[in-house]
Amino acid sequence: MEKKQKKYIFPETLAEASELLKGENVLMISGGTTFKFRNLKNFSRIVDISRVAPDSIKINDKEIILGSMVRIGRLLENKSLRELNCGILASAASNIASTPIRNQITLGGNLTMIYRWTDLPVSILVLAAEIRTVNGNESMTYTAEDFFASNPSRKLARGEIVKELIIPVHDNDYLLLFKTFNKTKGDFAAINMAAGYKLGDVFSDLRIAISAISNLPVRLKALERDLEGSRKDEKVVVDAIAKHLPNFKVSDFRYNSEYLNQVAKVMLKRLLLVEDREAEL
Amino acid sequence: MKLNVRINGKDKSFRVGPEEVLLDVLRREGYTGVKRGCRKGDCGACAVLIDNELFNSCVLPAMSVAGKDVITIEGIGTPNALHVLQRTFLEEGAVQCGFCTPGMILAVKALLDRNEDPNETEIKEALDGNLCRCTGYVKIIKAVKKAARSMREVGE
């Protein structure tokens, strides 16, 4: 029997890419960071969408629209992204891998492959962003919460491709913060956390998200509800965290879960009381 | 499959397998200054410039660079006419075993091409994907600062 020739294909449009991806044994790549680590014997066609997926960064007064082919390195270099929304996206992006790898990883790939330690999703959750996909001529829009509610690489339909990320531009009085915990700057995150809330004495429009310690990035909604309208007081925050922060079971060769859960509590307290801490400093 | 690509300013055409990474193709075609290190995208010994940006060729699908400009260390200076970066690395003792040096030089070139006067933090960030297990980075950073000064002076 003749062995089927493996092909590497550059589609000419996203619609063509969608059609190709509906075939059997097809691997889609954008930046191609994981290409080397896939079992390529399982694939007869490699569809490279890097020439057809959008790589633009569009910014207006209300929103930031990032094409799925925007490389992570560009999130760091873009001056507006370093300033808008407290620069949270650039802050999270700076934790991802190293310069050459950040030049290769794409936004779409990073959101879809969703490794547990991925740094961007918690920021995207607290930014209340939306993810737009295309599948042929159809377009779908997911809230970040829906998108990350299950593994996106399994959730997306055959032929469905992430096209862009739409991020609201928040007012200057809306504080957005990202924190990570890992052994060294280049190490995979053990805990990622982000929060958003209005400046002032009480918590308002509070959003909190956590990942790496959890299997998927999640909003901490029970904690948000409990703290909404409460004074930004240490005892109030510590009590609410003790009551609502789930006991995560994730551990790895670096840290056991008990340690990570304790660190998460401290990180979260600091994230929510950052105004007090900055006043102290 | 046929890969058409521009390497160090010259148009090239190679037969490659769709599953090959750029590192293996470059070394097979004689660009042995591109070093095979970790092969996992960690060490930067295989770094090359693609359209003036730094990439680890060990994790890059070879076909993905079709039609692009690739610069390897062979495209930076010659043994008889070293690039100022290469000369400065030698002068400052920033080279010991030399295995990481091609990737280092290309990482620094990418930095200085877009920022002619980087501060120490920016230099460290630009080199965060290049591991050196001999020199300890102090002399490398010193060499980068000196090279940046030289390049500004001569407008290179």
Side-chain angles (χ1 to χ4, degrees):
Chain A
M1 194 172 158
E2 193 183 341
K3 196 179 170 189
K4 204 171 179 184
Q5 187 79 30
K6 201 186 289 287
K7 285 185 179 170
Y8 193 103
I9 303 166
F10 290 107
E12 292 186 4
T13 63
L14 268 181
E16 185 194 346
S18 289
E19 283 310 308
L20 288 165
L21 292 170
K22 286 174 185 163
E24 295 293 326
N25 307 323
V26 180
L27 173 68
M28 179 180 81
I29 63 167
S30 51
T33 324
T34 60
F35 174 83
K36 168 79 181 287
F37 308 103
R38 306 294 291 265
N39 188 353
L40 297 174
K41 284 181 191 155
N42 295 335
F43 301 101
S44 57
R45 286 193 288 187
I46 298 159
V47 176
D48 184 332
I49 64 162
S50 63
R51 317 269 165 118
V52 290
D55 68 348
S56 55
I57 296 177
K58 296 176 192 167
I59 299 173
N60 61 44
D61 293 345
K62 291 184 180 164
E63 59 190 17
I64 301 163
I65 302 174
L66 303 173
S68 62
M69 267 307 295
V70 169
R71 311 276 178 165
I72 299 301
R74 283 182 65 204
L75 300 179
L76 290 178
E77 289 165 11
N78 187 288
K79 189 170 181 288
S80 299
L81 291 179
R82 289 204 308 266
E83 290 170 359
L84 290 170
N85 291 333
C86 305
I88 189 171
L89 211 55
S91 172
S94 71
N95 283 288
I96 297 175
S98 60
T99 299
I101 299 296
R102 285 193 294 270
N103 286 341
Q104 188 176 0
I105 299 175
T106 64
L107 184 61
N110 192 256
L111 299 184
T112 309
M113 297 301 285
I114 200 75
Y115 293 105
R116 187 158 56 80
W117 50 81
T118 304
D119 298 271
L120 292 183
V122 285
S123 306
I124 287 163
L125 280 167
V126 298
L127 283 162
E130 292 180 330
I131 291 102
R132 190 169 294 150
T133 65
V134 289
N135 194 345
N137 295 321
E138 285 180 39
S139 176
M140 292 264 291
T141 302
Y142 299 86
T143 64
E145 278 175 75
D146 286 344
F147 191 77
F148 296 124
S150 59
N151 191 317
S153 64
R154 289 184 214 130
K155 179 207 309 281
L156 296 181
R158 271 194 172 192
E160 191 174 5
I161 300 167
V162 172
K163 184 183 176 196
E164 55 201 9
L165 178 70
I166 303 121
I167 301 168
V169 174
H170 293 272
D171 294 337
N172 287 336
D173 69 346
Y174 196 73
L175 191 62
L176 285 150
L177 301 152
F178 168 83
K179 294 274 179 212
T180 188
F181 174 69
N182 48 20
K183 275 196 164 178
T184 63
K185 189 179 176 299
D187 196 11
F188 294 125
I191 304 171
N192 279 323
M193 230 176 241
Y197 47 91
K198 283 190 178 170
L199 293 169
D201 295 335
V202 298
F203 285 111
S204 173
D205 201 6
L206 177 61
R207 289 194 283 267
I208 310 166
I210 194 165
S211 72
I213 190 174
S214 55
N215 285 319
L216 286 167
V218 287
R219 285 268 298 273
L220 299 176
K221 291 214 163 174
L223 180 59
E224 291 173 7
R225 276 194 299 271
D226 194 354
L227 284 174
E228 185 73 21
S230 300
R231 287 190 62 76
K232 290 173 184 168
D233 173 84
E234 183 165 347
K235 185 172 184 321
V236 170
V237 168
V238 168
D239 287 351
I241 290 171
K243 194 171 166 190
H244 296 294
L245 187 68
N247 186 34
F248 296 102
K249 304 291 184 202
V250 166
S251 63
D252 60 32
F253 66 92
R254 301 167 298 176
Y255 316 98
N256 64 41
S257 65
E258 186 187 356
Y259 177 72
L260 287 178
N261 278 288
Q262 291 300 323
V263 173
K265 284 180 189 172
V266 176
M267 282 175 70
L268 193 47
K269 184 182 88 170
R270 291 180 178 176
L271 206 61
L272 295 174
L273 296 170
V274 73
E275 290 163 274
D276 286 353
R277 287 175 57 77
E278 287 190 350
E280 282 172 21
L281 296 170
Chain B
M1 298 184 77
K2 200 174 186 184
L3 170 65
N4 294 317
V5 63
R6 197 166 171 81
I7 301 183
N8 300 330
K10 290 180 182 159
D11 289 329
K12 298 281 180 178
S13 188
F14 306 126
R15 303 285 317 169
V16 305
E19 71 287 350
E20 283 194 277
V21 291
L22 184 61
L23 167 68
D24 294 334
V25 174
L26 288 172
R27 288 187 60 86
R28 187 174 66 228
E29 298 297 335
Y31 300 94
T32 52
V34 187
K35 298 301 178 198
R36 188 177 279 136
C38 69
R39 304 185 76 178
K40 294 195 297 183
D42 282 341
C43 76
C46 66
V48 296
L49 299 181
I50 295 165
D51 291 346
N52 298 320
E53 288 198 276
L54 193 74
F55 285 82
N56 285 331
S57 63
C58 71
V59 288
L60 198 63
M63 283 302 296
S64 72
V65 303
K68 300 197 175 188
D69 267 308
V70 178
I71 304 284
T72 71
I73 194 66
E74 288 86 352
I76 309 280
T78 66
N80 295 323
L82 295 176
H83 187 278
V84 63
L85 280 170
Q86 293 164 315
R87 198 174 60 241
T88 316
F89 265 57
L90 283 175
E91 287 168 359
E92 291 300 318
V95 177
Q96 207 161 313
C97 85
F99 197 79
C100 70
T101 310
M104 287 274 181
I105 296 283
L106 290 164
V108 176
K109 184 171 188 320
L111 168 69
L112 298 184
D113 281 351
R114 64 174 191 279
N115 179 359
E116 62 177 20
D117 189 14
N119 61 35
E120 189 159 324
T121 303
E122 288 166 333
I123 294 169
K124 286 178 181 173
E125 282 173 359
L127 292 174
D128 66 357
N130 297 83
L131 301 184
C132 171
R133 298 290 83 144
C134 302
T135 63
Y137 302 98
V138 172
K139 291 182 176 182
I140 292 170
I141 291 164
K142 197 175 168 192
V144 176
K145 288 178 180 171
K146 185 176 173 185
R149 269 197 310 276
S150 303
M151 288 168 77
R152 284 198 303 276
E153 282 163 15
V154 298
E156 198 164 316

